[in-house]
């Protein structure tokens, strides 16, 4: 996309005898009327403006103006006699006129891929607006920004009145959306819909996503119990490879050929809008086991021909679809290829090399090792690795400070040979970045956010989106791949007709499923490009949709959107999205009855209070916190009660602002209002449910350790509040969403919120039994005094608050491997705390496979000090740390801490200085 080396065209050739006015004025006085005219100026010799994506964007701008009643004329030269109210100059910023406009405005254009400029000025007394781009993608974004302003302004040209120059450049090099084909029933319609793709890609480009991944082979994790396998092993559904008689049995040749034609069309349409097209091939298995009802089987392959066929099929697909720029590959055992099968992958990679063009190889991180990375690097192609961000879910906007103990390499545990790496010595890469962040690595890294936390409901929080965007630059990462909303709908043969949005009321169904999430895409895309984006970017959309209710809509949805990522972070009963779906949550019991639960990858006993956080270094679970309350010492970790209070506050704010939306919305029957109101109500109910259940779990843990009946009574009261919250949100969803929302065949992956009440009732009934017959888990610890129990119950019921702590710490800009890293912290004890009893430094390399070292800091010279020794910094990793501060009065803090309303990274990272070269 970069056109920096394009030949320069002389100013005279472009402007003729035109002279740039000495003064630059604002574009003003452009009231819409029947005589409003706009000229769009595009130099045919400008290689940036002449690129196909830029031409398409210019046509979008013209169309946007025309739809608002503005007369538009295209010109290749400036005509001083033309009577236009405004000239829009569409240009690469290295052109003469663009450079002069920028210079007169006092603006320096970033020499950075995808950067853009919007600058107003005057030429021959005419208002001129420059839409400029450093390269063709930057120009696309500049022009589409104008089109968006025209579309969403109250008057068509109001948005073109600039208060000053607009100069932007991307914060993240990779801003990707991933869409999966997992259901013959639900996905074939959109796959074959050309109107769908053209509108979808136009929207993605307008929101500044620059990559689209179409993923095949994610319908199943294993090769058993397969029913719907359309596109699962993708090649036979796309192409006949000469020299191999490989077929998807039962698939007509004509349909296979149409599939390939559509893939070519889809990838070409993406490229035409400046999007890099990535093909995801997640499965290379060709044999199904215990699958008598599979709709297709694969014939003509043997273990001996498997690798060669995949190589040649990949080459054939790349040849047929020249717009494919990247491949996403799952290389662990769930691909159908045993881990450690390096010869297979070497053969497959050679299919990309044989295409004769540059094709990025993106490797899914689970099960990866250096040998696999080296095989990919040996192709000479660009190589990237994509770890999961917060396992298969979406937590708070920072990379986990730690991973669950279950993800650490196993000790004395038998490992399946098929998963010898991902379940063995490399298990720490199953659900995080593990040890990938070596200094000087020759591969790129960008995270992939999986669709476990949210799948159905609206999301839109600009504050959190900006925090995610900043975090995607962690230690030199280059961005993120987001699974689209509704990802995995109909997975594993569970697809049903009626639309992916799962609305029972047909009037709520948008024409295209993604149209429900227009605000979601806008908030994500524009913040990933620029975390400091102008709020008007998303507010103009809300003004158009909701008029005077727009500010309340923004606040209601923002608060509601913070609920589930917070729940996910604090409570991680399963890393797998197949098990844990907090949005339509299958109740995990507080009482251990010994019955099997869906939460198989969690410590025993498999109860709510014992489930680990997804960041156990910073968040405690209910059982741990109850122990702190009863016997101490305080850890400073964020407790379930703090999380409960955050959830209650977020829910209260969401409900308050939703009431404001209702009071200002005249048409409450509109689909836009009903979709928003229902989803905010449901998320608010989820916040109240989990808040009450966190409190219940802590109270029950107090009862289990003391036998105190008040704790049990209060636990039951909290559980009944949780149940009432769930019943309320389920009623909100009744009649709006279909009774069977399917993301898999198991009960926990389908159904409705109403279905989940039975599991909650069963657990409450078990807890009620403890009034008469305390279970075997109940013990009365004689060392715990009655006052301690009373205070613990009060803490579990109350509003937690830590006194504000004034502190100062300036992280080092960098460190040198082998040299000590000196760390200092200044603290002003809060009022009511006469003394800081201890300050501890928690530190480790940026390597999730490692545990933290914890050491006391020494107080000297009005500050706490600690030096991380050179023997520790002598490693190929950056450094990561945070502080634990212990005060008197049983108070503790973690610094820098976390606030869900002002999200930031809750630790410090100091990067290793690169070695100088002589």
């Amino acid at each position: 996309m970069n056109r920096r080396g394009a030949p320069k065209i002389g100013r005279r050739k472009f402007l003729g005898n035109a002279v740039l006015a000495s003064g630059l004025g604002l574009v003003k006085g452009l009231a819409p009327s029947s005589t409003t005219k706009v000229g769009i100026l595009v130099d045919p010799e400008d290689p940036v403006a002449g690129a196909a994506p830029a031409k398409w964007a210019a046509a979008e701008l013209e169309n946007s103006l025309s739809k608002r009643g503005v007369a538009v004329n295209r010109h290749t030269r400036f005509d001083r006699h033309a009577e236009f109210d405004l000239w829009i100059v569409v240009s690469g910023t290295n052109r003469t006129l663009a450079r002069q406009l920028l210079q007169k405005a006092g603006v320096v254009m970033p020499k950075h891929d995808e950067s853009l400029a919007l600058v107003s000025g005057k030429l021959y007394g005419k208002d001129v607006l420059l839409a400029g781009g450093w390269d063709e993608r930057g120009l696309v974004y500049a022009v589409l920004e104008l089109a968006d302003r025209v579309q969403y302004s109250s008057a068509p040209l109001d948005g073109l009145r600039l208060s000053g120059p607009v100069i932007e450049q991307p914060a993240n090099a990779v801003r990707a959306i991933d869409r999966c084909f997992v259901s013959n029933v639900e996905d074939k319609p959109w796959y074959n819909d050309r109107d769908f793709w053209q509108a979808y890609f136009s929207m993605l480009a307008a929101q500044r996503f620059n990559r689209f991944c179409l993923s095949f082979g994610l319908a199943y994790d294993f090769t058993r119990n397969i029913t719907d396998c359309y596109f699962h092993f993708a090649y036979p559904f796309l192409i006949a490879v000469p020299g191999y008689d490989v077929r998807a049995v039962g698939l007509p040749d004509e349909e296979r050929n149409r599939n390939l034609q559509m893939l070519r069309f889809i990838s070409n349409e993406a490229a035409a809008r400046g999007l890099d097209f990535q093909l995801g091939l997640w499965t290379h298995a060709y044999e199904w086991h215990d699958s008598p009802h599979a709709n297709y089987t694969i014939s003509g392959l043997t273990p001996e021909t498997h690798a060669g066929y995949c190589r040649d099929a990949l080459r054939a697909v790349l040849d047929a679809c020249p717009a494919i720029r990247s491949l996403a590959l799952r290389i662990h055992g769930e691909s159908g290829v045993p881990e450690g099968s390096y010869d297979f992958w070497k053969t497959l990679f050679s299919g990309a090399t044989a295409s004769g063009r540059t094709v990025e190889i993106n490797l899914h991180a689970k099960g990866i090792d250096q040998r696999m990375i080296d095989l990919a690097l040996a192709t000479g192609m660009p190589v990237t690795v994509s770890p999961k961000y917060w396992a298969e879910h979406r937590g708070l906007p920072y990379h986990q400070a730690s991973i669950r103990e279950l993800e650490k390499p196993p000790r004395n545990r038998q490992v399946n040979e098929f998963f010898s790496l991902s379940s063995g010595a490399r298990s720490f890469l199953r659900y995080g970045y593990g040890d990938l962040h070596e200094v000087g690595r020759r591969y790129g890294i960008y995270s992939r956010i999986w669709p476990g936390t949210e799948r159905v409901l609206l999301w839109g929080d600009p504050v959190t989106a900006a925090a995610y965007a900043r975090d995607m630059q962690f230690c030199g990462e280059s961005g993120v791949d987001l699974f689209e909303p509704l990802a995995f709908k109909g997975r594993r043969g569970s697809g049903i007709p009626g639309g992916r949005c799962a609305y029972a009321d047909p009037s709520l169904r948008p024409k295209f499923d993604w149209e429900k999430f227009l605000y979601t895409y806008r908030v994500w895309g524009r913040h990933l490009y620029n975390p400091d984006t102008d709020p008007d970017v998303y507010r103009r959309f809300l003004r158009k949709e909701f008029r005077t209710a727009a500010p309340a809509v923004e606040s209601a949805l923002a608060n509601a959107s913070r609920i589930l990522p917070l729940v996910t972070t604090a409570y991680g009963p399963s890393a797998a999205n197949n098990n844990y779906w907090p949005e339509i949550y299958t109740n995990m019991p507080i009482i251990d009855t010994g019955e099997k639960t869906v939460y198989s990858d969690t410590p025993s006993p498999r109860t709510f209070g014992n489930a680990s956080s997804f960041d156990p270094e910073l968040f405690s679970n209910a059982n741990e916190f109850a122990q702190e309350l009863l016997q101490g010492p305080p850890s400073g970790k964020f407790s379930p009660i703090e999380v409960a209070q955050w959830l209650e506050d977020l829910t209260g704010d969401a409900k308050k602002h939703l009431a404001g939306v209702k009071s200002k919305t005249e048409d409450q029957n509109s689909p836009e209002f009903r979709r928003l109101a229902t989803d905010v109500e449901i998320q608010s109910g989820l916040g109240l449910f989990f808040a009450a259940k966190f409190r219940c779990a802590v109270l029950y843990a107090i009862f289990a350790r003391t036998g105190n009946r008040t704790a049990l009574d209060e636990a039951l009261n909290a559980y009944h509040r949780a149940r009432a919250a769930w019943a309320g949100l389920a009623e909100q969803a009744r009649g709006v969403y279909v009774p069977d929302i399917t993301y898999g065949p198991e009960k926990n992956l389908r159904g409705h919120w109403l279905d989940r009440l039975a599991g909650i009732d069963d657990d409450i009934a078990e807890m009620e039994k403890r009034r008469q017959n305390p279970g075997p888990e109940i013990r009365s610890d004689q060392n715990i005094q009655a006052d301690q129990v009373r205070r613990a119950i009060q803490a579990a019921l109350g509003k937690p608050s830590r006194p504000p702590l004034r502190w100062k710490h300036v992280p080092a800009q960098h460190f040198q491997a082998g040299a000590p890293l000196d760390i200092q912290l200044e603290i002003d004890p809060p009022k009511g705390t006469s003394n800081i009893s201890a300050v501890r430094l928690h530190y480790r390399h940026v390597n999730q496979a490692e545990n933290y070292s914890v050491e006391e800091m020494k107080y000297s010279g009005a500050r706490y000090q600690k030096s991380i020794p050179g023997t520790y910094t002598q490693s190929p990793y950056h450094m990561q740390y945070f502080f634990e501060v212990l005060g008197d009065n049983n108070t503790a803090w973690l610094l820098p801490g976390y606030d869900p309303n002002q999200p930031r990274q809750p630790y410090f990272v100091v990067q290793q200085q690169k070695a100088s070269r002589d």
Side-chain angles (χ1 to χ4, degrees):
M1 301 295 296
N2 189 352
R3 297 299 181 118
R4 298 183 199 178
K8 297 183 178 180
I9 307 299
R11 169 173 169 250
R12 183 178 298 246
K13 196 167 189 177
F14 183 20
L15 296 175
N17 296 319
V19 178
L20 188 69
S22 59
L24 290 177
L26 299 181
V27 179
K28 55 186 178 181
L30 301 176
S33 71
S34 59
T35 59
T36 301
K37 297 179 181 180
V38 168
I40 297 179
L41 181 61
V42 182
D43 179 5
E45 298 185 60
D46 181 350
V48 174
K55 289 182 177 179
W56 163 78
E60 290 289 292
L61 173 58
E62 183 175 349
N63 186 49
S64 186
L65 287 163
S66 297
K67 283 183 175 179
R68 299 299 305 273
V70 177
V72 183
N73 286 274
R74 289 271 200 117
H75 286 257
T76 60
R77 295 169 59 87
F78 185 83
D79 182 355
R80 72 173 84 178
H81 302 296
E83 294 298 323
F84 294 127
D85 296 281
L86 174 66
W87 280 91
I88 298 176
V89 179
V90 176
S91 174
T93 53
N94 65 344
R95 308 294 291 176
T96 302
L97 177 57
R99 290 202 308 269
Q100 292 181 355
L101 283 167
L102 291 167
Q103 183 179 6
K104 290 291 184 179
V107 169
V108 177
M109 183 69 188
K111 297 179 179 180
H112 193 289
D113 291 354
E114 304 185 17
S115 59
L116 66 89
L118 299 175
V119 175
S120 56
K122 290 226 178 242
L123 188 64
Y124 281 120
K126 304 288 187 180
D127 284 311
V128 177
L129 177 58
L130 168 68
W134 175 253
D135 58 9
E136 61 194 62
R137 191 175 280 157
L139 183 56
V140 166
Y141 296 155
V143 175
L144 292 182
E145 169 65 11
L146 298 185
D148 195 70
R149 288 170 178 239
V150 169
Q151 180 180 354
Y152 289 103
S153 294
S154 55
L157 298 187
D158 281 357
L160 304 186
R161 296 189 180 101
L162 306 182
S163 60
V166 176
I167 308 295
E168 293 185 276
Q169 66 184 61
N172 292 286
V174 176
R175 307 178 301 280
I177 288 291
D178 202 316
R179 192 176 182 97
C180 312
F181 189 110
V182 297
S183 169
N184 189 25
V185 175
E186 303 213 25
D187 296 339
K188 191 182 285 187
W190 56 255
Y191 180 82
N192 289 299
D193 187 339
R194 293 181 177 234
D195 291 340
F196 168 95
W197 288 111
Q198 290 174 329
Y200 189 44
F201 288 148
S202 296
M203 180 274 295
L204 292 180
Q207 304 317 327
R208 301 188 189 172
F209 291 98
N210 64 357
R211 176 176 294 199
F212 174 78
C213 180
L214 178 60
S215 286
F216 298 133
L218 273 170
Y220 298 86
D221 296 329
F222 307 102
T223 57
R224 297 185 183 278
N225 301 316
I226 287 179
T227 54
D228 178 2
C229 59
Y230 202 93
F231 275 138
H232 191 50
F233 179 51
Y235 305 124
F237 291 88
L238 291 169
I239 204 156
V241 182
Y244 302 88
D245 185 20
V246 178
R247 305 183 64 85
V249 177
L251 181 75
D253 292 350
E254 295 78 8
E255 185 171 348
R256 180 197 62 211
N257 296 339
R258 286 197 303 272
N259 286 340
L260 183 63
Q261 291 169 6
M262 274 307 302
L263 181 61
R264 184 186 302 115
F265 172 82
I266 294 165
S267 55
N268 286 342
E269 289 296 313
R273 289 158 178 77
L275 289 159
D276 288 339
F277 184 87
Q278 182 180 72
L279 180 63
L281 298 169
W282 290 77
T283 292
H284 280 85
Y286 63 93
E287 290 184 306
W288 320 144
H289 304 285
D290 302 325
S291 304
H293 303 296
N295 53 358
Y296 296 94
T297 57
I298 308 301
S299 68
L301 274 179
T302 67
E304 292 74 24
T305 61
H306 181 210
Y309 166 79
C310 292
R311 173 199 62 213
D312 296 341
L314 177 59
R315 162 73 186 277
V317 170
L318 292 174
D319 287 346
C321 301
I324 295 175
R325 299 282 300 275
S326 176
L327 298 169
L329 300 170
R330 174 166 57 180
I331 48 83
H332 63 84
E334 290 174 23
S335 68
V337 179
E339 292 173 8
S341 301
Y342 300 104
D343 287 344
F344 174 88
W345 296 106
K346 181 179 180 180
T347 302
L348 180 72
F349 294 162
S350 68
T353 308
S355 69
R357 67 178 190 269
T358 299
V359 179
E360 176 194 322
I361 298 175
N362 172 252
L363 302 175
H364 181 50
K366 182 176 177 180
I368 204 168
D369 62 2
Q370 191 60 48
R371 184 174 175 185
M372 181 67 72
I373 293 173
D374 288 342
L375 284 176
L377 289 169
T379 64
M381 299 292 184
V383 175
T384 55
V385 180
S386 290
K388 293 175 179 175
Y389 188 75
W390 290 99
E392 293 181 1
H393 307 282
R394 178 160 60 85
L396 295 173
Y398 69 89
H399 283 66
Q400 293 160 276
S402 59
I403 56 177
R404 303 186 310 167
E405 283 301 312
L406 284 173
E407 274 72 77
K408 300 288 180 65
R411 295 189 181 94
N412 302 319
R413 190 174 77 200
Q414 189 173 3
V415 175
N416 185 322
E417 289 185 6
F418 212 85
F419 298 90
S420 59
L421 293 169
S422 63
S423 295
R426 306 290 293 168
S427 63
F428 50 78
L429 272 168
R430 287 167 61 88
Y431 301 117
Y433 63 78
D435 62 355
L436 291 174
H437 278 290
E438 285 197 11
V439 177
R441 54 186 164 79
R442 295 190 294 139
Y443 51 89
I445 298 175
Y446 62 87
S447 294
R448 186 169 278 121
I449 298 182
W450 284 66
T453 296
E454 294 161 309
R455 294 168 174 163
V456 178
L457 304 176
L458 282 169
W459 185 92
D461 177 17
V463 171
T464 306
Y468 283 118
R470 294 184 180 98
D471 190 53
M472 295 311 162
Q473 302 157 53
F474 177 81
C475 291
E477 290 190 12
S478 58
V480 66
D481 181 334
L482 294 164
F483 278 100
E484 52 102 21
L486 307 177
F488 292 178
K489 180 71 174 71
R491 193 168 181 247
R492 294 164 59 210
S494 66
I496 55 177
R500 295 176 81 229
C501 291
Y503 282 120
D505 183 346
S507 69
L508 294 176
R509 299 171 192 165
K511 178 181 178 182
F512 302 127
D513 57 60
W514 51 267
E515 290 179 315
K516 170 182 175 174
F517 302 97
L518 284 171
Y519 185 68
T520 302
Y521 281 106
R522 180 176 290 257
V523 168
W524 266 118
R526 297 302 288 267
H527 284 92
L528 286 172
Y529 178 87
N530 179 6
D532 299 312
T533 193
D534 183 350
D536 191 63
V537 163
Y538 46 90
R539 287 175 179 165
R540 60 183 177 240
F541 174 85
L542 294 178
R543 287 194 299 267
K544 188 85 167 183
E545 292 286 319
F546 298 100
R547 301 182 182 275
T548 59
V553 169
E554 179 185 339
S555 296
L557 186 56
N559 281 281
S561 296
R562 294 171 195 170
I563 289 170
L564 286 175
L566 176 57
V567 170
T568 298
T569 300
Y571 168 60
S574 175
N577 75 87
N578 282 341
N579 298 341
Y580 182 32
W581 183 11
E583 191 179 50
I584 306 183
Y585 172 67
T586 295
N587 196 57
M588 187 180 199
I590 291 176
I591 309 296
D592 180 19
T593 62
E595 294 185 13
K596 184 178 180 180
T597 78
V598 300
Y599 302 107
S600 55
D601 60 321
T602 203
S604 294
R606 290 170 178 162
T607 59
F608 186 93
N610 199 47
S612 170
S613 158
F614 275 127
D615 193 349
E617 196 72 22
L618 301 184
F619 287 79
S620 59
N621 68 20
N623 290 357
E624 293 166 344
F625 185 60
Q627 182 65 26
E628 278 189 35
L629 290 175
L630 291 170
Q631 293 183 301
S635 68
K637 292 182 180 181
F638 306 114
S639 74
I641 302 305
E642 278 182 290
V643 172
Q645 188 62 55
W646 287 342
L647 291 171
E648 289 160 1
D649 293 344
L650 290 170
T651 296
D653 287 342
K655 284 181 168 292
K656 177 184 71 175
H657 291 295
L658 182 59
V661 175
K662 293 177 179 179
S663 69
K664 295 179 180 179
T665 301
E666 294 181 6
D667 184 7
Q668 296 194 11
N669 290 318
S670 72
E672 293 78 15
F673 170 81
R674 292 169 61 203
R675 287 194 290 253
L676 170 87
T678 299
D679 286 7
V680 169
E681 291 278 18
I682 292 172
Q683 289 176 83
S684 298
L686 289 169
L688 291 178
F689 169 81
F690 280 106
K693 192 162 182 184
F694 279 132
R695 292 186 185 275
C696 172
V698 173
L699 288 160
Y700 188 81
I702 294 170
F703 167 66
R705 284 159 176 74
T706 65
N708 184 281
R709 295 299 297 270
T710 300
L712 176 60
D713 291 341
E714 293 294 356
L716 279 163
N717 290 338
Y719 218 158
H720 283 292
R721 291 196 300 274
R723 200 264 184 204
W726 192 276
L729 72 89
E731 281 301 319
Q732 290 287 339
R734 186 196 295 270
V736 176
Y737 288 101
V738 297
D740 191 13
I741 305 171
T742 58
Y743 282 80
E746 293 85 1
K747 289 183 178 180
N748 64 297
L749 291 173
R750 67 187 307 162
H752 192 275
W753 290 270
L754 289 164
D755 304 339
R756 302 332 195 224
L757 281 168
I760 298 170
D761 290 339
D762 289 345
D763 200 31
I764 290 175
E766 286 294 331
M767 191 175 290
E768 289 280 3
K769 293 178 183 177
R770 297 302 188 265
R771 291 182 186 272
Q772 304 300 325
N773 183 23
E777 75 275 16
I778 309 303
R779 64 182 188 276
S780 181
D781 191 331
Q782 301 301 317
N783 294 320
I784 303 175
Q785 302 298 314
D787 281 349
Q788 290 174 292
V789 177
R790 178 180 54 79
R791 287 194 296 269
I793 294 171
Q794 289 176 343
L797 291 171
K799 185 172 183 176
S801 63
R802 306 189 196 207
L805 188 67
R806 296 176 59 188
W807 57 279
K808 180 181 178 181
H809 170 65
V810 180
Q813 291 186 342
H814 52 73
F815 72 94
Q816 195 162 3
L821 175 57
D822 296 327
I823 296 176
Q824 299 181 348
L825 175 68
E826 298 178 27
I827 301 177
D828 184 4
K831 188 176 181 180
T833 302
S834 60
N835 189 38
I836 298 296
S837 60
V839 177
R840 296 173 183 147
L841 177 68
H842 296 240
Y843 66 92
R844 67 162 169 79
H845 304 117
V846 178
N847 180 352
Q848 290 175 327
E850 298 181 1
N851 294 320
Y852 281 82
S853 296
V854 182
E855 297 190 28
E856 297 266 345
M857 300 184 74
K858 293 183 179 179
Y859 186 75
S860 176
R863 60 180 58 88
Y864 292 87
Q865 302 182 64
K866 178 63 187 174
S867 181
I868 299 176
T871 52
Y872 192 87
T873 67
Q874 184 66 58
S875 87
Y877 297 102
H878 306 299
M879 293 297 303
Q880 179 174 340
Y881 61 90
F882 62 92
F883 304 102
E884 176 189 357
V885 179
L886 303 178
D888 56 14
N889 300 331
N890 213 31
T891 306
W893 299 262
L894 297 184
L895 304 178
Y898 191 81
D899 180 346
N901 294 312
Q902 296 178 322
R904 63 179 178 182
Q905 193 171 269
Y907 46 75
F908 300 97
V909 172
V910 180
Q911 296 198 27
Q912 187 178 138
Q913 187 176 30
K914 293 181 180 179
S916 60
R917 296 181 178 179
D918 295 333

